[in-house]
Amino acid sequence: MSDIILELKNITKIFPGTKALDNVSFQLKRGEIHALMGENGAGKSTFIKVITGVHRPEQGEMFLGCSKVTLQGPKDAQKYGIAAIYQHVTCYPDLNVAENIFIGHEIRHKLGRLNWKEMYRISDELLQSLGINFNSRTQMGTLSVAQQQIVEIAKALSMKAKIIIMDEPTAALTKRESEELYRVTEQLRDNEGASIIFISHRFEDMYRLASRVTVFRDSQYIGNWELDKVSKDDLIKAMVGREVSSLYPKAKTDIGESVLELENLTRTGYFSGISFSVRKGEILGLTGLVGAGRTEVCESLFGIHKADSGKIIFAGNEVTIENPRTAMDLGIGYLPEDRQLQGLILDWGIDKNITLPNLDQFSNGVWLNDQKELEIAEDMFKKVLIKAQSVQATASSLSGGNQQKVVVAKLLTTDLKVIILDEPTKGVDVGAKYAIHKIMSDLASRGYAVLMVSSEMPEVLGMCDRIIVMKEGKISDTMDIADATQEKILEAAMVKSVKDRQ
Amino acid sequence: MIKNTNKLSFLLKWEWMLVALLILINIMNASLSPYYLEYNNMMSAIMAFLDRSFMVLPMAIIIIMGDIDISVASTVALSSVMMGVSVQNGVPMTVAILICMATATLCGFINGLIVTKFKELSAAIVTISTMILYRGIAYIILEDQAASGFPLWFSILGWGDIGTIPLILIVFIAFSVIFWLILHKTTAGRQILAIGQNNTASIYSGINVDKMRLFAFTAAGFMAGITALFLTSKMASTRPNIAIGYELEVIAMVVLGGVSTSGGKGKIHSVILAIFVIGLLKYGLGIINIHSQIVTIIIGLLLIFSTLLPSIGQRVMSKLKIIRQMNL
């Protein structure tokens, strides 16, 4: 039993409306690197936050060594030697390395004066033990992301951390930088005797570093394996393994000519060489991991951020999309990812929200026409089946699913040819999910070209005619629905090297 | 829905509170001076503060959009000085008036341009800078001297009547109607409110946010020009330190008028009530020779009280709600 340094038993964490963790168990052995995998939203982040004391679970127990502990907050976790390092480093770029390491737990002389000499000495010692070639007086902002992460590791060690959690540390790193991080991580295990939980979407990280892997799916614990005894395919199956149910009322449609075409669209730092076309009556899925550049491509098509190079061809003509207005006037509509921030005015009624994008259509010239507005709003209100007391109820009073229906209704007031939906059912309950899928299918049947960004594999497989998978800003695979499987998509999103393109 | 009606009734109360305040101030003034309620006296009381009130209208729009313009008084100074210098150098008065309006509009346009092109700068910082800049230029042009020598007919603007109604009041009413219609009856007004409520969602809804902001700042410049005309006419001369401190009074009037300082909410008619509340309060305190610094203190207190009132009201409301729930 002393072999196990951290154990969680039957952890359940409930957020209003959802179970984020459902009876999850986990074991971390002393001195191992343990990978934690799962799809977006499988519950990994919540789980980490339980270990670091940010969230308190409704049920379940946590053991450190052999003793049961109850964490009251992040400070507690720190006290027990648990530290987490995140993908986005939270550092002070204008301070130097030692100042960053010791911020919040400075070493002091007797009278409270800061003992800089000691802090620089310990910092240099830590950096040396990690085999690093910059010293503790280097300004943090001049370091690369990988180096900053290593400073974070040093900070964890300075607090005597024995359990270190790394949450997608390689997501923002190049291959060379990842190598550096691997080396330091191994050093951490071998020289410092630390136990590490390593979260990553990349199989290469996992096979290179970890000895065991635990897989979560749908807030549940699926299993854990020795990495040398499990194949990549089995792991992918464990991560997805869901059945596509009747949540996806996709009607068969006649697919017509292409409406919107992209040629080598590039926005430096976000995506490059993106070429595809969306056709009339088609639902095209754009999937991949969060951060693969899917939303950014859509934002360029909608004129939020202009692409640097490449062509957008709409109905046969090359177009420049300056801003959302030009996009909408052409007939391109966009349902943004964050409905509360980007989609709605929460203090306003449903009616005023619905008419906002096309006020000029429901007015007499420059003058508002309350009557006309109310008519169109009520029409839409019924069409998308919003559940609310009245069409004037404030958007903030609605449930997530009904809020999303309002944003969909906003789109439908415009005369569109292409509809881009970015995570249309994220955080939406099952009923509303079905309704939104139904609207989507109807739109395609009526000849709209639909482009849907989604991270949810069953949704992509259930609703799309064709699927494009993006990885690190590039298209890694395109497949017809007939050939698509969850395994293939996941492989393209995580593993497959980017195809060479001329 | 319950929340919604509460909010509505509260906004109604706010307007009525301003009306009540206005009546109170009039009663106070009337009891202080037996001549206060005479027509001519009333008109001169109103004329005393209407010149700066032109700027309150676009300022309300700007604050509703979540921005602020602190440079308006400096714009008044620069455009007024430009007009004065032009006249001193033999430019015909009509042309000088055009120069004044063009200068002011340009000042506002420049503010708008900087604010929309460099989004990392807040409107407050930009307009504090141009506040110093515009007045600085006014000082360079005229040094610390006065420019005068305007033709006699120019004084009609500040002092003239149409029938028995002061010209300035008629112009102010006209602009008030225009701004009221824009904010409350046009699609542009709806978009202004939307931008103040949620800038990002407005962009995603296809509203040209930059264009609207540029327009609002330019309008503020234009209205500062109108103020410059009336103010200069009334004083028959101009100096670089003309209209100093007006920006704060203008902002105070907007805030007292119930415009949310975080944007997205406000009504032109409440703002107009607030203009009269502050203007007539100052006039009344002037009747009894209250020291001008104490007047400032009183207006400061009024402002703090008025901005706090909504949140105090909300706190009381939620307390009441909890009590009601406990009784159930």
Side-chain angles (χ1 to χ4, degrees):
Chain A
M1 198 53 195
S2 67
D3 197 25
I4 307 287
I5 186 164
L6 171 74
E7 180 166 19
L8 289 101
K9 275 186 187 161
N10 311 104
I11 299 284
T12 297
K13 172 74 203 168
I14 297 165
F15 290 120
T18 51
K19 247 186 197 175
L21 289 173
D22 189 359
N23 207 16
V24 164
S25 298
F26 180 83
Q27 281 186 341
L28 181 67
K29 285 183 187 158
R30 199 178 297 277
E32 78 168 340
I33 299 178
H34 192 127
L36 184 58
M37 294 195 93
E39 283 186 82
N40 298 325
K44 290 169 302 188
S45 303
T46 313
F47 183 67
I48 294 311
K49 284 181 181 156
V50 167
I51 301 180
T52 53
V54 177
H55 290 328
R56 279 211 258 162
E58 270 70 33
Q59 272 169 38
E61 297 171 313
M62 177 166 162
F63 297 90
L64 276 169
C66 296
S67 52
K68 186 178 162 182
V69 292
T70 313
L71 299 178
Q72 303 297 334
K75 279 265 169 216
D76 249 15
Q78 235 173 58
K79 202 177 73 198
Y80 287 119
I82 300 170
I85 290 147
Y86 297 98
Q87 173 188 346
H88 303 288
V89 184
T90 45
C91 70
Y92 302 88
D94 293 330
L95 300 183
N96 70 30
V97 168
E99 285 165 333
N100 266 285
I101 288 178
F102 279 101
I103 201 143
H105 62 112
E106 297 83 355
I107 300 175
R108 290 170 191 277
H109 289 293
K110 270 221 177 80
L111 290 172
R113 206 162 51 83
L114 294 174
N115 188 348
W116 283 114
K117 218 173 134 191
E118 184 69 2
M119 284 192 268
Y120 280 116
R121 190 186 63 75
I122 296 176
S123 300
D124 276 328
E125 228 174 71
L126 285 171
L127 292 177
Q128 218 163 37
S129 77
L130 293 172
I132 290 305
N133 57 2
F134 53 83
N135 74 29
S136 60
R137 287 174 196 272
T138 319
Q139 196 192 322
M140 196 73 169
T142 64
L143 300 176
S144 70
V145 179
Q147 289 170 325
Q148 289 179 0
Q149 277 172 340
I150 289 166
V151 173
E152 289 283 306
I153 294 174
K155 183 176 176 178
L157 289 177
S158 77
M159 291 187 276
K160 310 264 183 298
K162 284 290 159 205
I163 297 168
I164 295 174
I165 300 155
M166 299 166 92
D167 192 359
E168 291 199 55
T170 55
L173 304 188
T174 63
K175 194 133 186 61
R176 278 253 306 280
E177 290 174 322
S178 300
E179 275 305 323
E180 176 86 350
L181 192 76
Y182 294 156
R183 197 183 52 68
V184 170
T185 311
E186 280 167 345
Q187 209 138 23
L188 210 56
R189 174 191 59 192
D190 301 338
N191 301 353
E192 311 289 336
S195 314
I196 295 151
I197 302 173
F198 198 96
I199 299 177
S200 176
H201 280 304
R202 292 193 191 170
F203 283 98
E204 57 239 60
D205 289 347
M206 221 178 52
Y207 277 103
R208 168 79 168 69
L209 271 180
S211 51
R212 276 204 308 159
V213 56
T214 293
V215 173
F216 283 2
R217 180 179 73 220
D218 289 342
S219 316
Q220 284 174 335
Y221 168 82
I222 298 303
N224 83 82
W225 294 269
E226 301 281 331
L227 262 174
D228 46 8
K229 286 181 192 133
V230 66
S231 74
K232 200 186 289 175
D233 290 347
D234 288 341
L235 275 178
I236 292 176
K237 217 167 257 163
M239 284 166 65
V240 291
R242 258 179 304 201
E243 267 182 68
V244 180
S245 69
S246 60
L247 256 182
Y248 311 103
K250 169 83 172 85
K252 200 104 185 75
T253 55
D254 297 322
I255 294 175
E257 77 273 24
S258 122
V259 189
L260 179 69
E261 238 170 285
L262 279 64
E263 267 178 36
N264 260 318
L265 208 66
T266 299
R267 184 170 159 229
T268 314
Y270 296 94
F271 56 84
S272 66
I274 302 293
S275 306
F276 63 79
S277 66
V278 200
R279 294 169 295 181
K280 245 180 132 166
E282 173 183 55
I283 299 179
L284 176 63
L286 188 55
T287 188
L289 299 174
V290 169
R294 304 166 306 176
T295 296
E296 286 77 6
V297 170
C298 297
E299 283 182 347
S300 288
L301 289 176
F302 193 58
I304 301 281
H305 300 289
K306 271 180 79 176
D308 300 328
S309 64
K311 282 188 203 164
I312 300 172
I313 296 156
F314 184 81
N317 306 311
E318 187 177 342
V319 291
T320 332
I321 298 172
E322 291 287 345
N323 54 46
R325 193 73 253 166
T326 37
M328 284 163 70
D329 290 343
L330 279 171
I332 300 172
Y334 178 55
L335 178 125
E337 191 178 358
D338 186 334
R339 60 178 161 268
Q340 302 212 338
L341 185 72
Q342 301 165 323
L344 290 171
I345 291 175
L346 291 168
D347 271 3
W348 282 11
I350 296 168
D351 50 347
K352 279 161 90 186
N353 268 296
I354 289 178
T355 54
L356 188 61
N358 288 296
L359 272 177
D360 46 346
Q361 274 179 39
F362 321 122
S363 55
N364 311 326
V366 298
W367 305 105
L368 292 171
N369 181 336
D370 294 346
Q371 191 55 40
K372 234 194 223 170
E373 254 190 85
L374 198 64
E375 272 167 30
I376 189 80
E378 280 194 323
D379 185 37
M380 282 295 160
F381 184 72
K382 283 176 198 140
K383 219 180 240 167
V384 300
L385 306 164
I386 297 167
K387 285 195 196 82
Q389 275 174 321
S390 82
V391 73
Q392 271 136 353
T394 55
S396 58
S397 68
L398 303 178
S399 71
N402 282 303
Q403 285 185 348
Q404 190 71 321
K405 286 185 199 165
V406 176
V407 189
V408 171
K410 275 177 76 177
L411 273 183
L412 299 182
T413 60
T414 316
D415 188 18
L416 296 177
K417 295 192 175 63
V418 179
I419 295 186
I420 305 169
L421 305 163
D422 197 346
E423 301 282 7
T425 62
K426 193 170 85 176
V428 153
D429 58 279
V430 179
K433 204 167 191 165
Y434 176 82
I436 289 166
H437 286 152
K438 186 90 182 74
I439 293 169
M440 223 159 93
S441 172
D442 289 348
L443 289 173
S445 310
R446 276 159 47 201
Y448 289 88
V450 180
L451 175 64
M452 178 185 71
V453 174
S454 175
S455 303
E456 216 187 294
M457 215 67 74
E459 180 175 73
V460 173
L461 286 167
M463 292 306 300
C464 298
D465 296 297
R466 217 154 38 101
I467 297 162
I468 290 173
V469 186
M470 281 185 73
K471 186 193 177 216
E472 290 164 11
K474 293 194 164 101
I475 292 178
S476 69
D477 206 352
T478 306
M479 52 191 104
D480 222 65
I481 190 68
D483 313 322
T485 59
Q486 303 203 359
E487 289 79 5
K488 266 178 85 173
I489 294 173
L490 207 61
E491 198 186 317
M494 297 169 95
V495 194
K496 206 177 248 178
S497 60
V498 176
K499 285 177 189 162
D500 282 337
R501 274 157 212 280
Q502 273 75 31
Chain B
M1 218 39 210
I2 291 161
K3 195 178 154 211
N4 200 16
T5 47
N6 270 346
K7 238 183 232 163
L8 277 177
S9 64
F10 186 72
L11 276 180
L12 271 175
K13 270 187 209 154
W14 182 255
E15 285 149 39
W16 290 120
M17 202 205 73
L18 285 174
V19 171
L21 210 55
L22 197 59
I23 292 170
L24 214 70
I25 287 164
N26 275 306
I27 292 171
M28 180 189 87
N29 289 355
S31 63
L32 290 173
S33 155
Y35 309 109
Y36 176 73
L37 289 175
E38 277 176 23
Y39 180 80
N40 282 336
N41 187 69
M42 196 59 139
M43 285 304 130
S44 72
I46 289 170
M47 280 169 74
F49 61 81
L50 270 191
D51 45 23
R52 70 209 67 170
S53 304
F54 293 109
M55 297 186 284
V56 176
L57 302 167
M59 186 68 84
I61 302 273
I62 285 177
I63 294 179
I64 287 172
M65 286 170 85
D67 284 318
I68 197 157
D69 185 350
I70 303 169
S71 73
V72 282
S74 294
T75 303
V76 172
L78 181 55
S79 51
S80 170
V81 163
M82 284 292 284
M83 178 166 65
V85 168
S86 304
V87 170
Q88 266 186 344
N89 287 297
V91 174
M93 194 61 224
T94 41
V95 178
I97 289 175
L98 288 179
I99 288 173
C100 171
M101 290 310 296
T103 308
T105 311
L106 183 69
C107 285
F109 182 75
I110 290 170
N111 284 336
L113 214 58
I114 300 174
V115 164
T116 51
K117 291 293 168 211
F118 302 96
K119 295 203 178 59
E120 60 272 32
L121 301 176
S122 76
I125 297 298
V126 170
T127 54
I128 283 176
S129 311
T130 54
M131 171 181 88
I132 299 164
L133 179 74
Y134 295 158
R135 200 173 286 277
I137 297 171
Y139 270 105
I140 289 172
I141 293 171
L142 207 54
E143 287 166 350
D144 204 6
Q145 290 171 353
S148 53
F150 298 107
L152 202 62
W153 65 264
F154 182 60
S155 66
I156 292 172
L157 226 47
W159 298 106
D161 297 323
I162 290 181
T164 53
I165 304 168
L167 182 63
I168 189 170
L169 181 59
I170 292 172
V171 178
F172 178 73
I173 291 171
F175 275 119
S176 299
V177 170
I178 291 171
F179 274 87
W180 187 84
L181 286 173
I182 289 176
L183 186 63
H184 300 296
K185 290 290 159 193
T186 67
T187 54
R190 179 70 64 77
Q191 293 182 342
I192 286 165
L193 289 162
I195 291 168
Q197 282 278 345
N198 187 339
N199 194 307
T200 315
S202 302
I203 294 170
Y204 279 87
S205 299
I207 296 171
N208 197 332
V209 174
D210 282 354
K211 200 173 91 186
M212 300 293 283
R213 290 175 79 200
L214 182 61
F215 200 78
F217 278 97
T218 310
F222 179 85
M223 294 304 281
I226 299 285
T227 296
L229 290 182
F230 279 101
L231 194 61
T232 316
S233 161
K234 207 162 78 178
M235 310 209 316
S237 77
T238 183
R239 279 177 162 279
N241 66 356
I242 191 173
I244 208 148
Y246 276 23
E247 65 278 338
L248 294 181
E249 207 176 318
V250 166
I251 292 167
M253 286 168 169
V254 172
V255 173
L256 184 68
V259 172
S260 158
T261 41
S262 52
K265 274 177 216 149
K267 288 175 181 165
I268 294 291
H269 45 272
S270 309
V271 169
I272 292 168
L273 281 172
I275 291 172
F276 282 82
V277 166
I278 289 186
L280 291 177
L281 177 64
K282 276 178 93 171
Y283 183 84
L285 296 173
I287 297 175
I288 45 174
N289 279 326
I290 285 188
H291 203 279
S292 69
Q293 267 121 17
I294 296 178
V295 173
T296 329
I297 290 174
I298 292 171
I299 289 174
L301 288 173
L302 183 69
L303 209 60
I304 290 177
F305 171 69
S306 66
T307 43
L308 273 181
L309 202 70
S311 65
I312 292 173
Q314 242 158 28
R315 264 184 237 177
V316 173
M317 288 276 202
S318 60
K319 275 258 169 69
L320 284 176
K321 226 187 227 167
I322 290 167
I323 292 169
R324 218 180 299 149
Q325 274 175 347
M326 274 162 43
N327 287 341
L328 278 175

